[in-house]
Amino acid sequence: MDAVIQGGRIASIQPHQDLADDDATSIDARGRLLLPGLIEPHIHLDKAFLLPHMKEDVSSIAEAIASTAVLKRSFTKTDIAERAKQTLYQAIANGVTHMRCHVEIDPIVRLLGMEVMLELKAQFQDRITLQIVAFPQEGIAKQPGTEELLRQAMALGADAIGGITYQDEDVEMHLRTVFNLAREFGTPIDLHADFSDDPQMLAIRTIIHMTEAYGLQGRVSVGHLTSLGSLPPAQAEPICQAIAKAAIHVMTLPATDLYLNGRNDTHRLRRGLTPVAMLLKQGANVIYGSNNIQNPFTPFGTADPLDTGLLLAQTAHMGSKTDALTLLDMATTRAANALGIRNYGLRVGADADLVLFEATDPRSALYERAPRSFVWKRGQLVASTSKTTAFYPVQH
């Protein structure tokens, strides 16, 4: 089968012999797996590749936050841009065509990271679509002046407003500020929530209530949500049902969640993940993200969504053939739904954001993190790791 591209969109998907347009471009998959471009829905570009700058390793969420706060004081526009570009180049080569990044907004760095991300968004727009979340890592009430900086970041062009429920003592006030900013600027919300293995940390209940009260169903995402995984099933299930009912998107971040949670368990260590299977069963939209790349929160990372997908497969017991399809769906169509991406998918009329794998089936692509032979953004070739050719103008 061939995918025919015209004007940056998929014009048709049909047998090769039916092609009949000199202005079209054909992708002959030759039995290999062709997917819509991969989506990285949760990453911190401004904090990527900080390992060389760290004086000490960290072993807790609190230490990671404190270490990053110190490192941020030496950030410059050039430094942020270089580390972010390194991540973007890796992601594009790995088949990522859309990315949502959280950028620190606080009195320490003020709008420095925001300015860099806006420049990179424009600079890389022909290779990757970048969404920017204005993110108050240090809290809002905890850092006076942050709310006004968030408002400025939104006015500059942030695509979503972020929040972090475990940084301010008054969680409801923190969330009210975030939801009010979302209403003011008409943007979606992307929260860091309940990042803990403490089953008593359940800001998600307030998030569900506010999502419904503000009429923002389908426009709220929560990252981490790991406390929910420490609840007994009888208590967790109703919350999962409520999440699905409110159409809240859940972004599990296994590389970070597994690394930092369960540190105080002396035996039968908890995995520190949100209850993925239960959430899926209840109908919630669950996806996964890299979160951090080689920094105090996560000393690992390759900017390859399928590395994260394989890690989730292993740790969430998702090893069936159906699970492999679900995991790829999480990195494509489910993520597109969470990020509100339009004109996406392997269908006629969609943007030609595509990735061709050196694999013939979903399991091989995921389990082997198969090479991305070719990556296209709106029909333009932006990356290739193959010496063979499957991308050529239609000839008559």
Side-chain angles (χ1 to χ4, degrees):
M1 298 295 289
D2 286 324
V4 180
I5 299 170
Q6 288 179 303
R9 293 194 175 184
I10 299 174
S12 65
I13 301 175
Q14 57 189 10
H16 179 71
Q17 61 267 28
D18 291 340
L19 298 177
D21 194 326
D22 290 327
D23 297 323
T25 295
S26 169
I27 302 169
D28 181 1
R30 300 177 186 176
R32 289 171 290 178
L33 185 66
L34 181 69
L35 291 180
L38 301 181
I39 298 173
E40 173 52 72
H42 185 121
I43 197 167
H44 296 263
L45 291 176
D46 54 348
K47 296 190 294 194
F49 294 106
L50 286 174
L51 285 187
H53 307 283
M54 292 171 56
K55 293 182 179 179
E56 296 180 355
D57 292 326
V58 304
S59 59
S60 71
I61 297 167
E63 287 180 8
I65 291 173
S67 175
T68 304
V70 172
L71 292 168
K72 280 196 295 189
R73 297 184 186 282
S74 63
F75 282 6
T76 65
K77 287 188 73 171
T78 300
D79 164 58
I80 295 171
E82 287 179 351
R83 290 183 289 99
K85 284 181 182 180
Q86 184 178 351
T87 311
L88 286 169
Y89 286 132
Q90 285 188 7
I92 292 166
N94 286 323
V96 177
T97 59
H98 295 79
M99 175 183 285
R100 177 180 281 184
C101 73
H102 294 253
V103 60
E104 312 265 317
I105 306 293
D106 55 53
I108 301 173
V109 291
R110 301 186 66 80
L111 298 173
L112 187 66
M114 184 68 196
E115 292 166 359
V116 173
M117 293 308 144
L118 286 170
E119 291 173 4
L120 292 178
K121 180 177 180 176
Q123 182 181 341
F124 280 80
Q125 63 182 337
D126 293 331
R127 288 168 279 182
I128 189 169
T129 298
L130 189 63
Q131 292 186 10
I132 304 170
V133 182
F135 175 55
Q137 171 73 78
E138 308 302 323
I140 298 176
K142 196 174 180 180
Q143 291 286 342
T146 298
E147 182 178 349
E148 181 53 34
L149 287 168
L150 287 170
R151 184 169 280 105
Q152 292 177 35
M154 300 306 294
L156 282 172
D159 300 285
I161 180 69
I164 179 166
T165 62
Y166 42 92
Q167 272 288 62
D168 283 330
E169 289 187 10
D170 191 332
V171 174
E172 188 169 340
M173 182 177 292
H174 180 101
L175 288 171
R176 193 178 303 115
T177 300
V178 172
F179 274 78
N180 284 338
L181 284 168
R183 173 182 283 174
E184 180 180 344
F185 289 95
T187 63
I189 294 171
D190 197 327
L191 301 163
H192 289 54
D194 299 341
F195 184 17
S196 167
D197 48 33
D198 178 2
Q200 301 304 311
M201 184 184 280
L202 292 173
I204 186 60
R205 289 172 169 163
T206 306
I207 294 168
I208 293 166
H209 171 73
M210 285 194 175
T211 297
E212 294 174 337
Y214 280 74
L216 287 174
Q217 292 91 333
R219 290 174 61 78
V220 176
S221 300
V222 293
H224 298 297
L225 196 64
T226 53
S227 299
L228 190 59
S230 289
L231 279 177
Q235 296 177 38
E237 191 170 89
I239 297 175
C240 292
Q241 291 173 350
I243 289 169
K245 184 176 179 234
I248 293 171
H249 310 285
V250 177
M251 300 181 178
T252 183
L253 310 169
T256 304
D257 297 343
L258 290 162
Y259 180 66
L260 290 178
N261 280 312
R263 293 273 182 160
N264 295 321
D265 292 343
T266 58
H267 62 290
R268 299 180 67 182
L269 275 66
R270 282 168 287 182
R271 297 195 172 199
L273 294 175
T274 197
V276 174
M278 184 182 293
L279 284 160
L280 288 171
K281 183 178 180 181
Q282 296 303 323
N285 185 31
V286 184
I287 60 177
Y288 52 82
S290 297
N291 191 36
N292 286 292
I293 304 290
Q294 299 184 32
N295 70 12
F297 292 87
T298 319
F300 326 104
T302 60
D304 183 352
L306 295 195
D307 275 353
T308 307
L310 180 63
L311 179 61
L312 185 62
Q314 295 167 325
T315 53
H317 305 296
M318 298 179 71
S320 71
K321 183 177 181 180
T322 300
D323 288 334
L325 293 171
T326 299
L327 287 157
L328 288 180
D329 199 37
M330 287 177 171
T332 52
T333 55
R334 282 178 173 269
N337 182 25
L339 271 59
I341 300 170
R342 298 180 180 179
N343 300 321
Y344 177 87
L346 198 60
R347 57 178 176 79
V348 173
D351 288 339
D353 296 336
L354 303 165
V355 56
L356 182 66
F357 288 82
E358 283 295 329
T360 57
D361 63 274
R363 271 182 157 171
S364 296
L366 177 63
Y367 296 168
E368 300 171 18
R369 277 93 67 232
R372 319 303 127 89
S373 303
F374 298 95
V375 182
W376 296 270
K377 181 66 178 173
R378 289 186 287 273
Q380 298 300 311
L381 186 65
V382 294
S384 174
T385 56
S386 175
K387 294 181 180 179
T388 63
T389 179
F391 179 81
Y392 49 88
V394 177
Q395 301 293 330
H396 299 282

